[in-house]
Amino acid sequence: MQIAMKAIILKSFGGPESFELCDVPKPVPHAKQVLVRVHATSINPLDYQVRRGDYHDLVQLPAITGHDVSGVVEEVGAGVTTFSPGDEVWYTPQIFDGPGSYAEYHVAAESIIGKKPASLSHLEAASLTLVGGTVWEALIVRAVLRVGECILIHGGAGGVGHVAIQLAKAIGAKVFTTVREANAEFARSMGADVIIDYQKEDYVDSIMRETGGRGVDVVFDTIGGDTLSRSPDALAQLGRVVTIVDTALPQNLIQAWGKNASYHFVFTRQNRGKLDELSALIERGQLQPHVGAVYSLADIPLAHARLESSNNGVQGKIAIAVDRRLRESME
């Protein structure tokens, strides 16, 4: 008899009400695959972009979406040598390639799974896999941020931004960040050197004042739109702009040309190497994800609605307690 599990199914593209909690068959691991009992997942902007249909040509409905897993190995397929049942693991499922993490169980290739840092709870670990890998790709691989350089991180209180601040400080950079006034102390606690309240002051003017007119070496954009188009104005000569946001609208980059700037567009790739690097930072006390809110699996529609709202009051990430025992421990 086939065993069932609970999962949140995306029935149609649209608002948070497009999700439905259902019973579906529990997956079975094949060769080189690992079956994981999902203890926690989290919510990312990518998740609501997928839900509303931004990538409709890449997602076949009905679908299980979600892009973060922290859990425990339940079973391994033939040829798996790295993991055994009972191991605590974390990873990002392959994006647009099979079911996601909004379920009680998930199957993934052995090659993309990492050992969960022992010091992190499942909620904390699940909040970091996608954003941590994205920040590593952006700052280390693409921007090649170096000791002593200056970086502007847009949206420093968000899920990506608060991780980017910590990684940039671990590298040895000077960190400027834009946040609302209510999030200034949080961004400072993450390690930001210069806080810019973007609602009260122009961030380009602030950067130029603080750097004596030189500008920053790197801009990390998590916002898009006008933020991306104006970022070259804050750059130093030979600066780099890294963005993780879709750029559907044409951009006027004449200022970037005048500064010999380079642009990098990041859509993170899954691999164990980045997770292991993040684990090392965590073990050294240089990186700690912040969970600003927790919801249950059944309440994922509410979590989506909250993250999607313009002033959601969340610092860091929204995590989802999937495992019943984890939910009970929070009550």
Side-chain angles (χ1 to χ4, degrees):
M1 185 177 70
Q2 198 167 38
I3 301 174
M5 68 172 181
K6 295 289 185 184
I8 290 287
I9 305 296
L10 182 63
K11 296 284 191 174
S12 61
F13 297 117
E17 71 282 355
S18 303
F19 287 122
E20 183 178 336
L21 182 65
C22 300
D23 287 324
V24 299
K26 177 181 173 182
V28 176
H30 298 298
K32 295 293 185 180
Q33 290 185 329
V34 176
L35 173 66
V36 176
R37 182 181 180 90
V38 180
H39 282 228
T41 183
S42 75
I43 310 295
N44 304 279
L46 175 61
D47 297 330
Y48 64 67
Q49 291 165 0
V50 169
R51 187 211 70 228
R52 67 193 184 192
D54 292 14
Y55 305 101
H56 62 88
D57 54 335
L58 300 175
V59 179
Q60 184 175 353
L61 298 179
I64 300 174
T65 60
H67 301 93
D68 297 281
V69 170
S70 182
V72 176
V73 174
E74 180 100 348
E75 183 183 347
V76 298
V80 172
T81 59
T82 311
F83 303 102
S84 302
D87 288 345
E88 293 191 331
V89 295
W90 66 332
Y91 61 95
T92 293
Q94 293 283 10
I95 300 173
F96 304 133
D97 186 16
S101 58
Y102 292 175
E104 292 181 316
Y105 291 90
H106 187 266
V107 163
E110 176 187 21
S111 59
I112 68 169
I113 298 174
K115 294 276 180 78
K116 181 183 80 67
S119 63
L120 295 187
S121 69
H122 284 294
L123 291 170
E124 290 170 330
S127 77
L128 186 58
T129 60
L130 179 62
V131 299
T134 299
V135 170
W136 186 272
E137 177 92 10
L139 302 192
I140 303 297
V141 180
R142 304 297 187 86
V144 196
L145 183 64
R146 295 183 287 269
V147 176
E149 289 193 315
C150 295
I151 181 171
L152 168 62
I153 297 170
H154 288 295
V160 176
H162 87 286
V163 173
I165 290 172
Q166 294 177 75
L167 181 56
K169 290 303 295 182
I171 292 169
K174 182 175 182 178
V175 177
F176 299 76
T177 191
T178 56
V179 295
R180 298 174 187 267
E181 183 179 8
N183 293 324
E185 285 308 313
F186 174 69
R188 189 170 285 111
S189 73
M190 294 295 103
D193 298 292
V194 180
I195 309 294
I196 302 170
D197 181 351
Y198 65 89
Q199 294 180 314
K200 293 183 177 179
E201 55 185 326
D202 183 278
Y203 71 84
V204 174
D205 291 344
S206 298
I207 290 292
M208 289 304 172
R209 182 179 66 250
E210 293 285 344
T211 62
R214 178 183 179 274
V216 295
D217 302 287
V218 174
V219 173
F220 182 38
D221 171 42
T222 70
I223 308 296
D226 290 344
T227 301
L228 177 59
S229 61
R230 292 200 65 219
S231 287
D233 295 337
L235 274 183
Q237 281 290 324
L238 301 176
R240 292 92 74 195
V241 175
V242 186
T243 182
I244 60 171
V245 183
D246 287 347
T247 53
L249 298 176
Q251 298 285 322
N252 183 355
L253 302 180
I254 189 65
Q255 291 298 106
W257 175 77
K259 293 186 176 180
N260 287 288
S262 59
Y263 269 66
H264 303 270
F265 301 89
V266 173
F267 188 85
T268 189
R269 299 165 290 179
Q270 287 67 55
N271 65 63
R272 184 186 301 152
K274 285 187 285 190
L275 294 173
D276 291 344
E277 296 286 1
L278 294 170
S279 292
L281 289 174
I282 292 164
E283 290 171 1
R284 293 198 296 266
Q286 294 177 298
L287 177 60
Q288 178 64 41
H290 181 81
V291 176
V294 179
Y295 289 78
S296 68
L297 182 67
D299 286 334
I300 278 179
L302 297 177
H304 267 242
R306 183 172 181 183
L307 182 62
E308 209 168 359
S309 62
S310 59
N311 188 11
N312 55 46
V314 178
Q315 296 176 333
K317 289 292 295 292
I318 296 176
I320 305 298
V322 176
D323 186 84
R324 175 179 55 81
R325 292 162 294 183
L326 183 57
R327 295 198 302 271
E328 289 174 350
S329 70
M330 296 158 38
E331 296 173 351

